[in-house]
Amino acid sequence: MANCVSHHKIWLLNLLTFFTVLSLSNGRSNAEFPVKAVNLGGWLVTEGWMKPSLFDGIPNKDFLDGTALQFKSVTTGKYLCAESGGGTIIVANRRAASGWETFSLWRLDENTFRFRVFNKQFVGLDGIKVVAVSNISTDSLTFHVVKESGDSNRVRIRASNGYFLQAKTEDVVTADASKVNNSWGNDDPSVFVMTIAGVMHGEFQVTNGYGPTKAPQVMKEHWSTFIVEDDFKFIASSGLNAVRIPIGWWIASDPTPPPPYVGGSLHVLDNAFSWSLKYGLKIILDLHAAPGSQNGFEHSSSRDGSLEWGKTDETIQETVRVIEFLTARYAKSPSLYAVELINEPFSPGVTLETLNKYYKAGYEAVRKHSSSAYVVLSNRLGSADPRELFPLANGFERSVIDVHYYNLFQDVFNAMTVQQNIDFIYNNRSSQLTHLTTSNGPLTFVGEWVAEWQVSGSTKEDYQRFAKAQLDVYGRATFGWAYWALKNVNNHWSLEWMIKNGYINL
Ligand SMILES: *[C@@H]1O[C@H](CO)[C@@H](O)[C@H](O)[C@H]1NC(C)=O
Ligand SMILES: *[C@@H]1O[C@H](CO)[C@@H](O)[C@H](O)[C@H]1NC(C)=O
Ligand SMILES: *[C@@H]1O[C@H](CO)[C@@H](O)[C@H](O)[C@H]1NC(C)=O
């Protein structure tokens, strides 16, 4: 058996050499070595699902930025709704709640909030009528949510004019109830049943949640304990050769980033560079959070689910400055291997035209300081054409296309068996990757993947086969791959746990 394996290896090596020669003769080389990397996710850009305890100490932690609230009037029996999604009055006449009936929080302090509606206007007043017409947050009212005591989900909403909101009729919602009592009865138009329909746990939420006094302390503690020098040692000794480090745009204005962000993360990134050097690892810098958010997810530090990046030229220019700052700072480090200009911009919110414009400027910003760093272009989430960046990337030197392959987040995976998941890797992912891999185009990078699926009750051996299938297929990516992530409370999402427990062997 051992003999057979080593035979196989030699054969593979020959084949690899052959392909390297072949691709060199086509004028494009593979990356110097295929990257076998792990994402240091949840470190310098917070993702609460990876480490929920980070949020434990936040006062009133159910009310963070981006929390989606729905309110059903007890007198009309119907939901509050921004008529037309916003731009006019608030009514109390909807039988079911979805987008227009959802109010997204902006947290000012632990008890004071603004509400943002579907079309992005903020809730305010026109006389005593409650409306959602202003795009400017500071023009809006602030609100306190007063809960009935105990486990009740009944609330009253007190506006900053001192009055409580009431649903006078289905079509008339006003902020003019001055006297309320303790009965919280079904005949009281100032009483609403509140539902939390969605939550966000990103960098904005954690820093704004703790506030300016506690957040610096909490984040420094997190940065200095979540990933430490020993982790780099472990990574290097596990057969990996690189790390992909998600960072946020605010790192470039360290030590005084705009609030609520907290200074000190740049020093932590400096540490990552010195540890990488010490243990012979390469670094792929990955701008995971761009100003305004490029996808509306918590992992790009969206405040309330909005996608604002690219809507103005200013956000693009600011992002280019971040890329230039980081490249200039680390260009001389032998560990800087690649700069990923932005992670997972979302289509259609980010248009191809906007993205091309930014990628061109971002590429030039990298090249001002480094001729050797690879420039990684992330494909747009939600776009049907995985080659849409090729025309641009073909004009770049040392460019890479990043694709993220998860057997998750799409209905098609919900009913798949273990074997179907594995077949999907060998058939579908394999042909997707082949389609992307061209002799004269950009290199290919599976920058995120995980040995996790929708199958429940699977065995260790199932996971081993699934991981191996992905290593086999993603190992053919010409730039390489990166597992998401190194650490995670969800075991299969932690490469450290997977390696230490024998699920993955590199
Ligand atoms: C608010 O923003 C939207 C979308 O950008 C715009 O169409 C609308 O005119 C703005 N409204 C006001 C009152 O400025
Ligand atoms: C409380 O206020 C509501 C609404 O104004 C009223 O209908 C109800 O009778 C009041 N209950 C008590 C006990 O005063
Ligand atoms: C996977 O590929 C097979 C064969 O090309 C195709 O029939 C199938 O629809 C693909 N599955 C999904 C979920 O895309």
Side-chain angles (χ1 to χ4, degrees):
M1 189 66 197
N3 218 336
C4 178
V5 167
S6 57
H7 225 89
H8 191 72
K9 266 191 189 155
I10 290 163
W11 180 79
L12 254 178
L13 262 176
N14 284 337
L15 199 69
L16 272 175
T17 314
F18 173 72
F19 276 127
T20 310
V21 170
L22 196 71
S23 56
L24 276 172
S25 67
N26 275 329
R28 272 268 173 176
S29 63
N30 279 359
E32 278 123 57
F33 55 73
V35 165
K36 291 193 248 171
V38 63
N39 282 282
L40 304 186
W43 189 27
L44 301 181
V45 180
T46 296
E47 296 192 32
W49 69 285
M50 299 174 70
K51 183 186 169 181
S53 62
L54 189 56
F55 288 73
D56 283 352
I58 298 179
N60 204 11
K61 67 185 167 118
D62 287 341
F63 288 75
L64 299 178
D65 289 279
T67 298
L69 298 177
Q70 295 163 346
F71 301 101
K72 190 180 191 176
S73 159
V74 297
T75 50
T76 68
K78 303 207 175 137
Y79 287 94
L80 287 187
C81 168
E83 194 71 283
S84 307
T88 175
I89 57 171
I90 304 294
V91 292
N93 64 9
R94 293 307 203 280
R95 281 176 201 287
S98 103
W100 293 4
E101 295 76 29
T102 299
F103 297 82
S104 191
L105 277 186
W106 276 30
R107 174 172 165 131
L108 304 186
D109 64 41
E110 64 182 276
N111 292 311
T112 315
F113 314 102
R114 297 186 195 280
F115 294 140
R116 206 174 192 191
V117 300
F118 186 80
N119 290 341
K120 306 299 177 200
Q121 294 92 346
F122 293 89
V123 176
L125 278 189
D126 176 4
I128 58 166
K129 254 190 301 180
V130 182
V131 296
V133 293
S134 179
N135 288 335
I136 302 164
S137 69
T138 48
D139 284 352
S140 69
L141 285 179
T142 64
F143 297 94
H144 286 233
V145 176
V146 182
K147 289 188 195 168
E148 186 183 14
S149 56
D151 283 341
S152 167
N153 52 5
R154 292 187 170 220
V155 300
R156 288 195 178 96
I157 304 163
R158 193 174 69 236
S160 43
N161 67 357
Y163 295 95
F164 289 88
L165 262 57
Q166 54 178 335
K168 281 189 175 149
T169 69
E170 290 195 3
D171 303 321
V172 180
V173 178
T174 55
D176 62 345
S178 56
K179 287 216 330 223
V180 293
N181 60 34
N182 279 330
S183 70
W184 296 89
N186 282 340
D187 56 351
D188 188 334
S190 70
V191 173
F192 299 88
V193 173
M194 185 185 76
T195 309
I196 296 181
V199 292
M200 294 181 72
H201 289 119
E203 187 84 8
F204 199 102
Q205 286 73 30
V206 75
T207 52
N208 203 35
Y210 279 107
T213 314
K214 281 204 78 185
Q217 212 175 303
V218 171
M219 296 316 290
K220 271 172 202 156
E221 170 74 13
H222 168 62
W223 295 331
S224 64
T225 54
F226 188 60
I227 288 177
V228 298
E229 178 175 343
D230 258 357
D231 293 312
F232 284 75
K233 191 174 172 186
F234 169 78
I235 291 165
S237 68
S238 300
L240 297 158
N241 55 23
V243 289
R244 179 174 180 259
I245 307 184
I247 50 175
W249 60 275
W250 54 88
I251 200 170
S253 42
D254 210 82
T256 50
Y261 300 105
V262 166
S265 61
L266 189 59
H267 173 66
V268 181
L269 187 58
D270 288 345
N271 286 343
F273 271 89
S274 51
W275 297 332
S276 290
L277 195 60
K278 183 165 172 187
Y279 298 105
L281 296 169
K282 298 290 185 190
I283 290 181
I284 300 154
L285 279 181
D286 154 38
L287 188 70
H288 220 69
S293 172
Q294 71 277 20
N295 53 37
F297 292 122
E298 66 181 21
H299 59 69
S300 62
S301 194
S302 177
R303 179 170 194 172
D304 61 10
S306 306
L307 184 169
E308 309 288 354
W309 184 85
K311 300 260 157 87
T312 63
D313 212 45
E314 199 193 326
T315 53
I316 296 180
Q317 293 316 317
E318 192 176 354
T319 315
V320 172
R321 284 195 294 275
V322 171
I323 293 297
E324 178 158 7
F325 168 84
L326 291 165
T327 314
R329 187 178 183 88
Y330 299 114
K332 300 224 159 44
S333 167
S335 292
L336 182 68
Y337 192 63
V339 179
E340 180 155 358
L341 299 178
I342 198 168
N343 178 66
E344 295 187 350
F346 198 85
S347 164
V350 175
T351 65
L352 184 58
E353 189 191 1
T354 299
L355 191 60
N356 277 340
K357 183 177 161 193
Y358 166 64
Y359 276 159
K360 188 166 181 304
Y363 173 80
E364 283 159 9
V366 172
R367 285 290 168 258
K368 260 195 222 171
H369 301 279
S370 172
S371 56
S372 60
Y374 287 92
V375 176
V376 183
L377 313 178
S378 175
N379 262 353
R380 287 190 303 166
L381 285 184
S383 163
D385 178 9
R387 285 189 181 191
E388 67 180 10
L389 300 171
F390 275 36
L392 184 76
N394 284 338
F396 295 165
E397 295 292 320
R398 298 165 87 81
S399 66
V400 180
I401 299 288
D402 179 15
V403 290
H404 297 171
Y405 288 157
Y406 291 104
N407 277 22
L408 294 160
F409 313 126
Q410 281 170 279
D411 292 344
V412 64
F413 298 115
N414 291 350
M416 277 191 190
T417 63
V418 166
Q419 194 55 46
Q420 285 168 334
N421 270 283
I422 291 170
D423 291 344
F424 186 85
I425 302 299
Y426 283 119
N427 301 325
N428 302 58
R429 291 304 187 205
S430 173
S431 58
Q432 286 173 342
L433 198 54
T434 302
H435 177 64
L436 266 185
T437 309
T438 53
S439 59
N440 56 357
L443 299 174
T444 53
F445 179 39
V446 183
E448 293 185 19
W449 64 277
V450 67
E452 185 57 296
W453 46 25
Q454 303 282 27
V455 187
S456 50
S458 26
T459 65
K460 178 171 177 177
E461 198 211 333
D462 294 335
Y463 276 105
Q464 286 170 325
R465 288 172 56 223
F466 186 43
K468 181 174 179 303
Q470 294 187 83
L471 286 168
D472 284 350
V473 172
Y474 307 159
R476 293 181 217 142
T478 50
F479 183 78
W481 53 257
Y483 196 90
W484 189 278
L486 181 65
K487 305 220 174 181
N488 197 313
V489 292
N490 305 284
N491 291 341
H492 303 133
W493 292 85
S494 161
L495 187 57
E496 179 186 38
W497 189 93
M498 295 295 266
I499 290 173
K500 286 183 173 165
N501 290 278
Y503 282 64
I504 288 182
N505 188 357
L506 296 168

